[in-house]
Each structure stands twice: as structure tokens, then as C-alpha cells.
Amino acid sequence: MKVDGTAYRSIWLDDDGWGVRIIDQTRLPHRFEIVRLETLEDAAHAIRAMLVRGAPLIGATAAYGMCLALREDPSDDAMQRAYDVLLATRPTAVNLRWALDDVTAELRNQPHERRVELAYACAARICDDDVGINEAIGNHGVDLIRATHQRTGQTVNVLTHCNAGWLATVDWGTALSPIYKAHEEDIPVHVWADETRPRNQGASLTAWELGHHGVAHTVIPDNAGGHLMQHGLVDLCITGTDRTSAAGDVCNKIGTYLKALAAQHNGVPFYVALPSPTIDWTIEDGRAIPIEERAGSEVSHIAGKADDGEVVTVQLTPDGSPVANPAFDVTPSGLVTGLITERGVCQASREGLARLFPEHAAG
Ligand code: MRU
């Protein structure tokens, strides 16, 4: 997608062919800074500290983290150590484990001297596949937006939560991909972007990428969604997901569940954009998905730009007040109108997913 006319991916190889470039998302929306990763620890830190975030991009960064580790030591022991270090960075997005398994499966029986080259080829393939998957999600999802526009003849208002745009993937995004496709087709579309406390990925990242691509949007407090739905101001909700169970329960950024409840109560369709590497075929009940508990300082403090242009952090809560910070929640499949995958839209159920992905359902 474009930043002021220049096309970017969220992760790419540097000119020397081995260093990895990322956009430091902790600096957005006020600074656009590109960071170079050179070591396993650089990649692990980038995921842990959320310089990169979003399930597909976490997976892509982990794949390149394996490449950087193997450059230093291509032995079996080093490969296992890198796998363990990267897997421990963030627990919820299943794309992390999926990408690490993909790279290690490719290398396991290969001679050590070929491993680096093969790992880079695998990481590049993971990135290119992600772009293709997300564009296909956009092509399927835009049908829903187009149909809504044809029915109402009005601008289509889509509510989204967190950031499931191109910054959360390698390109296109998942939930925002249908919106970019609608924008390309000149279908009038407007996005309600939930601010997404505590880290404000909606206010800082979704608003930033939509704004730089020229898509109409409005940032709203997390608590405004139900009110807007009650007043007919939301045509459909589309969110991303960090892990969806084989039975269609959707784990996503904390607060997604409340939006799905409000959507059902108000008869607003609630769709989830789901790339297949985000399906956890080993889990049926979404409540078994590990939920990341992040630092309390993300709740007690907030960062923003002061009047003099400096980015400052201030404390919100009283000294000594305890805080809790569960980073994700699970929306039961019954609240989800449909899953938008790269193979089409299906019901959020074991049968729905099995119809589109029979090769996994059989296993
Ligand atoms: O904690 P984050 O910012 O990594 O959480 C991101 C989300 O919850 C996204 O909605 C999800 O990863 C889907 S991204 C395409």
C-alpha cells in the first residue's frame, strides 16, 4: 500500500540481500522510521516490543529471524534455539508457530551450508504468499461492501477494531483489504476506526494507513460502537483475527467480543477476515487459546504528541492502582456472520471451514 504515493511493504530485504527492514510501528503515527534487523535478538525484540505486530507480520518477521540466526550458526542446536526464542516472543497469534514450523520443516534434512539460502527463500515465499492471500481476501470481501452499496445507494460505513491493515500483514491487510479494494473500485466507503485501548492501534495505525492511502475514516472511542450501531450508522463490521479455532471461534484484540455482541443485538453483520495460516486446526474451543497478558504500563500510561511536537508519555491512573491488561478476547462462532478467507466467505463453523479447507479437515 502507499505512503504519500510511495508503495511499501511492512517488511523487506535490505539492498545487501540479508539485513531486514521494517517500519517501527511504535513510532507511528507521529514518526515514520525504518529500522534494520541484523540478528536473531533484533527480530525477537521487534516482535516482543511490538515494533512489528499483527498476526501475519509477526509470522513473517519470525521467518526472517530464523534466517538471521542461521547466518550466525546453521547447526541443528542453533536452529532449535532460534525457534524457541522466537516462539516465546508473543503467545496468541498462531501465525508465529506456523511460520517457524514452515521454515524448520524446509531446512531439517538439508546440509548446513545450504540452510541460510533456503531459509531466505522460505521467508520470501511466506511474505509473497501473505500478500496473495490478503489480496484474495480483499477480492472476496469487497463483494460484501459492493452488495451493501447496491442495496442502500449510500456510502458504506464499516466498523473495524485494532489494526488489521497492511501494517499488520506484509501488504493489503486482512480486514482492511476489502476496504482498499472498494476504494480502488470507487465504491463510497467510510471506516469507523475503534481507537483500541490500551495500545491504540486503531487511533494510531489504522487511521494513519487509511489517511495516507486516501480512505475516508473517523476515529471513535472504543465504547462508541454500540451507540453507532443502534443509530443505523454501521452497515457492517469487519475485524481481523490472531487465531481462529477449527470450529470458528475468533480470537482477536481485546474488545472485539463486545463489538460482536453489539452487532448481533442490532442486526449488523459481523465478519472476520481470516487468512488460512491464522486457523489453529488443533483447537476446537476458542477458550483454549492462550491469551497474552501484557505489561500494566500499557494501561496506566499513554503516549502522544505534545503541542511542541515532542512525543511524550503520561500517567493516567492514580499512583499505586493495580491494572490488568489481557490483550485478546474470544468471540464465539455464533456471533460471527461469516469468515472471509482467501478461498471465499464461509460460515464460522467446523463445517464451514472444512468445506473451504478439506485438506485440513481430513487431518
Ligand atoms: O497486539 P497486536 O497489535 O499484534 O494485535 C493485532 C490484532 O489483534 C489484529 O486484529 C490481528 O492480528 C489481525 S491482523 C491482520
Side-chain angles (χ1 to χ4, degrees):
M1 293 289 106
K2 288 192 178 145
V3 182
D4 301 332
T6 305
Y8 279 91
R9 283 185 171 189
S10 62
I11 188 165
W12 65 97
L13 267 193
D14 212 343
D15 291 341
D16 58 16
W18 69 269
V20 179
R21 295 264 185 180
I22 56 164
I23 298 163
D24 181 352
Q25 300 190 23
T26 65
R27 308 286 283 168
L28 289 171
H30 306 302
R31 308 270 186 274
F32 182 73
E33 288 181 9
I34 290 167
V35 169
R36 180 176 154 96
L37 311 178
E38 296 194 342
T39 64
L40 165 65
E41 192 37 51
D42 287 348
H45 169 75
I47 300 171
R48 214 182 287 121
M50 294 178 66
L51 279 71
V52 291
R53 27 68 51 204
L57 181 56
I58 289 171
T61 308
Y64 275 118
M66 291 296 287
C67 302
L68 297 172
L70 290 165
R71 279 189 86 240
E72 290 176 10
D73 182 350
S75 68
D76 286 353
D77 282 355
M79 190 160 80
Q80 185 59 50
R81 205 166 45 246
Y83 182 102
D84 294 342
V85 165
L86 289 162
L87 188 65
T89 49
R90 294 195 70 191
T92 301
V94 76
N95 306 57
L96 175 60
R97 185 183 75 202
W98 171 87
L100 292 170
D101 285 345
D102 198 356
V103 176
T104 44
E106 196 107 335
L107 304 185
R108 194 161 293 121
N109 297 319
Q110 296 293 339
H112 291 188
E113 60 277 13
R114 291 212 58 216
R115 280 185 172 173
V116 173
E117 174 201 342
L118 289 171
Y120 273 99
C122 184
R125 175 179 53 73
I126 286 173
C127 288
D128 289 344
D129 285 355
D130 182 65
V131 177
I133 285 171
N134 298 332
E135 183 166 13
I137 285 174
N139 288 331
H140 293 297
V142 73
D143 293 345
L144 303 167
I145 298 176
R146 196 188 306 106
T148 306
H149 176 60
Q150 283 165 353
R151 183 170 45 79
T152 65
Q154 305 284 322
T155 296
V156 181
N157 286 296
V158 181
L159 183 142
T160 192
H161 192 67
C162 193
N163 172 261
W166 71 268
L167 287 169
T169 65
V170 179
D171 205 354
W172 284 104
T174 58
L176 296 194
S177 183
I179 288 158
Y180 288 125
K181 289 286 178 183
H183 182 72
E184 269 183 5
E185 279 188 33
D186 288 329
I187 300 169
V189 62
H190 165 264
V191 178
W192 297 112
D194 282 351
E195 62 175 347
T196 318
R197 283 284 294 147
R199 285 188 69 101
N200 297 308
Q201 290 96 327
S204 57
L205 304 178
T206 298
W208 182 84
E209 61 164 90
L210 290 175
H212 281 269
H213 203 77
V215 179
H217 63 281
T218 306
V219 179
I220 51 171
D222 284 328
N223 296 330
H227 166 78
L228 294 174
M229 291 184 216
Q230 243 175 8
H231 286 79
L233 297 172
V234 180
D235 293 299
L236 60 154
C237 301
I238 310 180
T239 74
T241 169
D242 291 84
R243 190 184 302 218
T244 288
S245 78
D249 292 339
V250 170
C251 182
N252 192 48
K253 180 54 54 191
I254 193 80
T256 303
Y257 176 36
L258 286 176
K259 293 297 133 60
L261 284 168
Q264 189 176 64
H265 191 70
N266 289 283
V268 174
F270 187 93
Y271 286 96
V272 174
L274 170 66
S276 58
T278 308
I279 305 168
D280 188 340
W281 298 100
T282 70
I283 288 182
E284 284 281 321
D285 184 338
R287 287 171 300 180
I289 295 171
I291 301 295
E292 179 177 16
E293 182 77 31
R294 290 193 60 88
S297 57
E298 293 182 350
V299 177
S300 60
H301 290 68
I302 196 163
K305 188 165 75 171
D307 289 345
D308 63 3
E310 283 306 302
V311 176
V312 293
T313 299
V314 294
Q315 182 177 325
L316 291 170
T317 52
D319 291 342
S321 276
V323 290
N325 189 11
F328 299 94
D329 61 24
V330 173
T331 299
S333 59
L335 295 177
V336 178
T337 308
L339 301 169
I340 311 169
T341 79
E342 69 269 27
R343 294 191 188 171
V345 180
C346 71
Q347 200 185 47
S349 66
R350 161 158 284 290
E351 298 70 34
L353 283 169
R355 183 174 58 76
L356 290 185
F357 300 95
E359 70 278 25
H360 289 285

